[in-house]
Amino acid sequence: MAEIVSLAEGVGRLVHDGDMVALEGFTHLIPHAAGQEIIRQRRRDLTLVRMTPDIVYDQLIGAGCARKLIFSWGGNPGVGSLHRFRDAVQNGHPVPLEIEEHSHAGMANRYVAGASGLPFAVLRGYSGTDLPRHTDTIKQITCPFTGEQLAAVPALNPDVSIIHAQRADRAGNVQIWGLVGVQKEAVLAARRSLVTVEEVVDELEPVPGQLVLPSWAVTCVAEVPHGAHPSYAQGYYERDNAYYEKWDSIGRKRDSFEDWLREKVFTMEGAK
């Protein structure tokens, strides 16, 4: 059954140096607070997994937490590049970053395979692209029934998956609604999981289109209001578009990024 803990305790117990860590959420419910807590606890040598790494991964990479990124697209949505990501790949700063690139469909199917207890996923994908030549985890296989050439990709089973959701009850059942990506699959595929939520309530009132993760599928839950900011949480707050725009100038230079780390991560109230 899921245990309700503080954010600092959850990250401290579940995220270890050298782990494969997935922080998932698509535009909506991105676990930014958890990402910054990982930075605050100075985790290192992580393999970061995410379908669409955006500024939370720019922050983790810039802080020196990552040695490898497994992904399908990276950027500051609606703004431009991830400058800390670019600096790590091109210049090895603050540490060299290995990349493993897939398509969206490939990443989603890898999570599904991991959640299903299967060793790999099969899809009609990657045809006509250079990805199979550059990514060792994409292989061609022949269908034993039709002879069709298909792509196979290995399952993703992160050491820990972290997501953000709207609510959990005191037993640790988690309720999500709105735009949902691969959060469910990421949690079910992982060896351990941390779900940050806007609030912990006595009872989960039904919401149209909801997804409920049962307590037995979750390791820890942490109540973190505004834990998805600057992304949005439907029913709680809107996307902070100005933050995404401002990040472009913060992340562009090493000095401005280091200033941001000192002022917004290491000296904030949550670090005490």
Side-chain angles (χ1 to χ4, degrees), residues 7-53:
L7 176 58
E9 182 181 358
V11 169
R13 284 172 50 180
L14 301 180
V15 182
H16 312 134
D17 289 353
D19 275 353
M20 178 185 287
V21 182
L23 281 74
E24 282 296 349
F26 185 70
T27 302
H28 179 228
L29 298 173
I30 299 170
H32 282 269
Q36 291 176 15
E37 183 61 31
I38 291 171
I39 296 172
R40 194 174 298 119
Q41 295 195 18
R42 302 183 187 275
R43 293 295 182 265
R44 292 293 182 266
D45 200 34
L46 302 178
T47 294
L48 297 178
V49 183
R50 181 167 164 76
M51 283 188 63
T52 55

Side-chain angles (χ1 to χ4, degrees), residues 188-205:
L188 294 177
R191 295 172 177 86
R192 305 181 295 277
S193 57
L194 172 63
V195 182
T196 58
V197 295
E198 290 297 316
E199 58 177 337
V200 175
V201 298
D202 292 328
E203 185 176 352
L204 299 177
E205 297 183 4

Side-chain angles (χ1 to χ4, degrees), residues 120-203:
F120 65 91
V122 179
L123 66 154
R124 289 190 181 93
Y126 302 102
S127 296
T129 76
D130 288 340
L131 284 173
R133 293 198 295 110
H134 296 281
T135 304
D136 290 339
T137 49
I138 303 169
K139 303 296 183 184
Q140 270 204 334
I141 64 170
T142 302
C143 174
F145 304 105
T146 66
E148 182 181 2
Q149 292 296 298
L150 300 168
V153 288
L156 278 171
N157 292 108
D159 293 298
V160 57
S161 286
I162 302 174
I163 66 169
H164 189 75
Q166 283 96 335
R167 291 196 291 239
D169 64 18
R170 302 194 188 282
N173 300 297
V174 173
Q175 184 184 37
I176 313 173
W177 67 91
L179 180 60
V180 177
V182 293
Q183 288 98 315
K184 174 186 70 175
E185 290 80 5
V187 167
L188 294 177
R191 295 172 177 86
R192 305 181 295 277
S193 57
L194 172 63
V195 182
T196 58
V197 295
E198 290 297 316
E199 58 177 337
V200 175
V201 298
D202 292 328
E203 185 176 352

